[in-house]
Amino acid sequence: MMFLTVGTQFPFDRLVRAIDVLAGKGVFCEELYAQIGDSTYKPRHFEAVASLDKHDFDHHFKDASAIIGHAGMGTITMALDNNKPLLAMPRLKRYGEVVNDHQVALAKKFEALGHIVVARDESELEAKMEQLRSFSPRPREAEPEAVAGRIRLFLEQISEVR
């Protein structure tokens, strides 16, 4: 089973609709289940609910062979923590899906690190689904020295301003 999750703060009809179109074309070789939030689009080719309680959400997430979702930090982190391949499509401000385009930067960074597969828009989803089938996320490694260095640099910069 693949699990589609789009978060619960904002609708993400663009992704839900695009995945439904692909499901209708038979792109998915296995069952697809989704948590779609307050989406106004109701999928016809897979089962979806507006929200799940934490226990059910965690169960579906952990049982899934792969995750499809928005490029939110919570979804990315949970996929990495559970070693799940994630196909993420960033929400975009121009469509009213978020208040700014921070998910574009998150997606770009985590893709560059080999942690996720990214579809920048609906036109890339089908090809990225093919990539997801054989994708194995690179494990995240703690780098406390690098974090400390960035904090030190930040503190030095703000002390210069004063």
Side-chain angles (χ1 to χ4, degrees):
M1 180 256 322
M2 296 184 90
F3 185 49
L4 167 65
T5 178
V6 300
T8 56
Q9 290 184 333
F10 297 98
F12 199 6
D13 289 348
R14 190 167 55 98
L15 178 58
V16 175
R17 183 180 300 106
I19 295 298
D20 195 36
V21 167
L22 293 178
K25 290 171 57 176
V27 169
F28 300 97
C29 304
E30 56 188 296
E31 176 188 0
L32 179 64
Y33 187 76
Q35 174 181 286
I36 60 171
D38 291 329
S39 179
T40 58
Y41 180 84
K42 302 301 176 208
R44 293 173 292 184
H45 302 289
F46 58 87
E47 186 178 351
V49 296
S51 65
L52 295 165
D53 64 39
K54 180 169 175 25
H55 177 267
D56 288 341
F57 182 88
D58 290 350
H59 173 75
H60 281 89
F61 204 100
K62 289 176 183 174
D63 281 357
S65 60
I67 309 299
I68 303 167
H70 65 145
M73 194 65 216
T75 301
I76 293 170
T77 300
M78 192 167 182
L80 288 170
D81 289 348
N82 288 278
N83 195 35
K84 296 291 180 181
L86 169 64
L87 169 55
M89 187 169 89
R91 295 171 179 270
L92 298 175
K93 180 182 177 182
R94 72 175 174 255
Y95 298 122
E97 297 164 343
V98 283
V99 296
N100 61 42
D101 286 332
H102 69 282
Q103 288 192 6
V104 173
L106 281 173
K108 184 177 181 180
K109 180 66 174 180
F110 280 90
E111 180 182 42
L113 292 170
H115 296 315
I116 66 174
V117 175
V118 176
R120 277 142 188 76
D121 61 35
E122 306 92 316
S123 69
E124 293 185 357
L125 280 170
E126 188 168 0
K128 296 297 182 162
M129 278 302 307
E130 275 303 311
Q131 185 180 344
L132 184 67
R133 292 188 209 300
S134 61
F135 179 73
S136 181
R138 183 173 173 217
R140 190 170 39 168
E141 298 174 13
E143 297 179 0
E145 294 82 15
V147 172
R150 288 192 297 272
I151 292 170
R152 185 184 72 249
L153 179 62
F154 172 75
L155 293 173
E156 288 170 356
Q157 289 172 343
I158 64 169
S159 68
E160 290 173 3
V161 172
R162 293 180 179 183

